[in-house]
Amino acid sequence: MIVAGIQKSSLIDYPGLVSCVLFTRGCNFRCPYCHNPSLVIPSGKGKRGQIAEEEVMAFLHRRKGLLGGVVISGGEPTLHGDLVRFCRRIKEMGYPVKLDTNGSRPKLLAGLIEKSLVDYIAMDIKTLPENYPVYIKKGVDPQPLLDSMRLIMTSGKPYEFRTTCAKPMITTTGVLKIARLIENARLYVLQPFVPGETLQPDFFDGKRKNLYQEEDLNRFCVIAENWVEKCYVRI
C-alpha cells in the first residue's frame, strides 16, 4: 500500500473520534480546486515521499488508546488494489476505519462494505454526474458515481456525502439536483472552496470575486435540506 503522508491527529476528519489520517497517492480525477496536488500528480520518481506500510502499522500500534479511528484519504484510496488487505490489517488492530472516496470504483467499495472493513464512508460529489467530463476529467462515466451513491446509502454504515462549492461546478440548480439524487441521505455536507495551492490555479485566477460566501452556502443548505435528512455547512 502506497502511503504518502500521515496526519498524526485530527479532531474533525472522523466524526466523533480522534483520528489519524493516512493519505494515499494517485487520483483518477483532476478537480481544479484540489488542495492536495502533490498526491494527484506526484513529482519525482521512485519511493521518495512514501511511507512504508510497516512503518504505518508501527505508528498505529504505538497510538493504541490515544486514537479512536483511522481515516484513509487521498488522492483516491480505491485505486490501490491492496486497499482491502490494508484495511483488514488496520481493523485487526481494533481501529474503526473511515474511507474518503470519489465514488469512482463501486465494485471495490462494495467489497470493503461486504467484508465489514470500513465503518464510515465519505463520498465527494464534485458536481452533477453528467458534468464530470466537463469540469473534472474528460471521459468520466457518470454511472459508477451513481452506483456508489446508492451503494453507500444502502450499506447500513454511517456515511456522508459532501460537495465543495466552487463556481462554475456548483450552482443553485446543481445543488438542488444533487440533493434529489441522494434523496433521504442521512447527511449532506457543503463546504466552501478556499483559495490556496490547487491543482489548476489558473482555473480560478482573477475569479475571487465570484467565490461563494458563507451566506451562499447557507442558502444552498436550505435548498438541500428539503431532500436529505440533514444538511449543514462545514467551514
Side-chain angles (χ1 to χ4, degrees):
M1 188 68 183
I2 301 174
V3 176
I6 299 178
Q7 183 178 340
K8 294 183 177 180
S9 181
S10 170
L11 298 175
I12 61 173
D13 285 278
Y14 199 136
L17 296 178
V18 178
S19 67
C20 71
V21 185
L22 308 179
F23 295 96
T24 63
R25 176 162 288 171
C27 188
N28 52 339
F29 288 169
R30 294 294 182 266
C31 307
Y33 54 74
C34 177
H35 63 279
N36 285 329
S38 63
L39 298 178
V40 175
I41 307 176
S43 59
K45 298 180 179 180
K47 296 185 177 181
R48 186 176 64 180
Q50 296 183 21
I51 302 172
E53 184 172 319
E54 294 309 318
E55 184 178 342
V56 173
M57 295 301 161
F59 165 78
L60 293 177
H61 181 75
R62 292 193 303 269
R63 290 299 180 102
K64 280 187 175 182
L66 299 175
L67 293 174
V70 175
V71 178
I72 303 178
S73 190
E76 174 50 41
T78 63
L79 296 182
H80 298 268
D82 48 1
L83 180 62
V84 171
R85 178 189 56 78
F86 188 65
C87 288
R88 183 176 287 114
R89 291 192 71 183
I90 296 172
K91 291 283 290 180
E92 287 173 350
M93 297 180 73
Y95 286 107
V97 173
K98 173 177 176 276
L99 177 69
D100 291 345
T101 181
N102 61 25
S104 61
R105 301 195 70 192
K107 290 183 179 180
L108 192 145
L109 181 59
L112 291 169
I113 292 170
E114 291 167 4
K115 296 177 175 67
S116 295
L117 296 178
V118 288
D119 301 278
Y120 193 109
I121 305 165
M123 176 179 164
D124 290 303
I125 302 176
K126 316 291 187 179
T127 183
L128 285 169
E130 60 265 30
N131 289 338
Y132 273 61
V134 178
Y135 297 120
I136 305 305
K137 191 177 181 182
K138 290 181 179 179
V140 173
D141 181 3
Q143 190 58 51
L145 307 173
L146 298 171
D147 292 344
S148 290
M149 292 177 200
R150 285 190 289 269
L151 176 64
I152 290 168
M153 292 177 66
T154 59
S155 67
K157 304 289 184 182
Y159 66 88
E160 67 183 61
F161 296 107
R162 57 194 184 192
T163 294
T164 298
C165 296
K167 298 179 182 180
M169 285 80 78
I170 293 298
T171 63
T172 301
T173 301
V175 169
L176 173 60
K177 290 183 176 180
I178 290 171
R180 293 178 67 179
L181 278 177
I182 56 171
E183 184 176 359
N184 296 321
R186 66 177 293 273
L187 179 59
Y188 184 34
V189 178
L190 303 174
Q191 52 199 27
F193 161 63
V194 179
E197 183 184 13
T198 59
L199 183 63
Q200 298 181 36
D202 293 347
F203 190 91
F204 297 101
D205 276 359
K207 299 178 183 177
R208 293 200 173 201
K209 65 179 181 180
N210 293 327
L211 296 178
Y212 286 121
Q213 304 302 314
E214 186 173 353
E215 56 265 31
D216 298 313
L217 272 69
N218 288 334
R219 177 169 51 84
F220 291 162
C221 189
V222 170
I223 294 170
E225 63 188 4
N226 290 315
W227 297 92
V228 300
E229 291 184 13
K230 182 179 180 180
C231 181
Y232 72 86
V233 175
R234 182 181 288 154
I235 300 297

